[in-house]
Amino acid sequence: VIASEAVCQRVGEKAFFQFSGRRSNLEAIQGLIDKTINDKGNREVSAIYGFDDVSAKGAWLLGNHKLETVFLVSNDQVNYDIAFDQSVRAYENSTRWRNRMAGVGWGWFLGDQWKVEARAGWSDYESELSRTSRVPVSGEGADATLASTSTFNNRIGIRHATLKSAFNWERIQASFGVQVQSYLSNPAFGQTTNGVVESLPSRKNQSNWSSVTNAYVESEVRCTSNLSGSFGLRLARWRFGDSVSWHWLPRASLMLKMSDSQSLVLHSERA
């Protein structure tokens, strides 16, 4: 038994909602962890792993419109300590992760021929790693040890938004839209030895976001029962700091059905 879970769900003709939560059963798995990793007499390992998360999502139909929402928060943690009795060496390790995500969506449907969709969301992922070691130093006395602590943490942020429209006719399917994505990576590292700080945690500018913007149009055409093709063109704008670049990304493919068991496909794409 790794985790316990509770789910509350409501389903109707025009509405859906679900709330769920999970939590690790540490008491059930801790004994198995200890039995598996403690297999040497001169070494004692203490490892603890736990996680929990909560999520909520819903959808509503309002005439020709559809609204959607989603939300998630999760936490993971690992503590992994090792001690060697004979040499009085010890290592302590701790790792933590946290993820938060939310999103909304809207759709507008006009029969089977046309639909418009918009989506937006964000997510933040944070990780932290801490390591402490105590090692005896030879020639410095019986109680002399070298203690070192290092920490590393990082935050990754993502923001995204999409607006697109799609058409569906008898032989032609077409879509066009705009996508915007922004990214932030913000690491920091620190080091301490015997109480002396050797490296202070440093972070980048919180506003140093990178972004990618795409505008695209794509179409699929069925010429005959044996011949079909697809064509698309995407304009991408990349921004890293103060640097901006533009890229045209075309693609095209053609498929010829030669028999029930043989087809010829030609495809070209710039990415």
Side-chain angles (χ1 to χ4, degrees), residues 92-107:
E92 299 176 358
N93 304 275
S94 175
T95 305
R96 292 176 175 85
W97 304 271
R98 184 180 184 186
N99 184 42
R100 296 172 295 175
M101 183 270 289
V104 294
W106 166 76

Side-chain angles (χ1 to χ4, degrees), residues 36-65:
T36 302
I37 61 181
N38 285 298
D39 55 358
K40 293 184 179 180
N42 65 336
R43 183 192 68 179
E44 180 180 356
V45 181
S46 174
I48 299 177
Y49 169 66
F51 69 91
D52 58 80
D53 58 52
V54 294
S55 65
K57 57 183 178 180
W60 299 266
L61 291 176
L62 304 173
N64 294 333
H65 301 269

Side-chain angles (χ1 to χ4, degrees), residues 79-118:
N79 294 323
Y80 195 86
D81 303 335
I82 308 175
F84 295 87
D85 297 334
Q86 295 180 358
S87 58
V88 200
R89 287 184 294 143
Y91 304 89
E92 299 176 358
N93 304 275
S94 175
T95 305
R96 292 176 175 85
W97 304 271
R98 184 180 184 186
N99 184 42
R100 296 172 295 175
M101 183 270 289
V104 294
W106 166 76
W108 182 29
F109 304 89
L110 294 178
D112 298 331
Q113 286 75 33
W114 184 30
K115 65 178 179 180
V116 180
E117 292 182 283

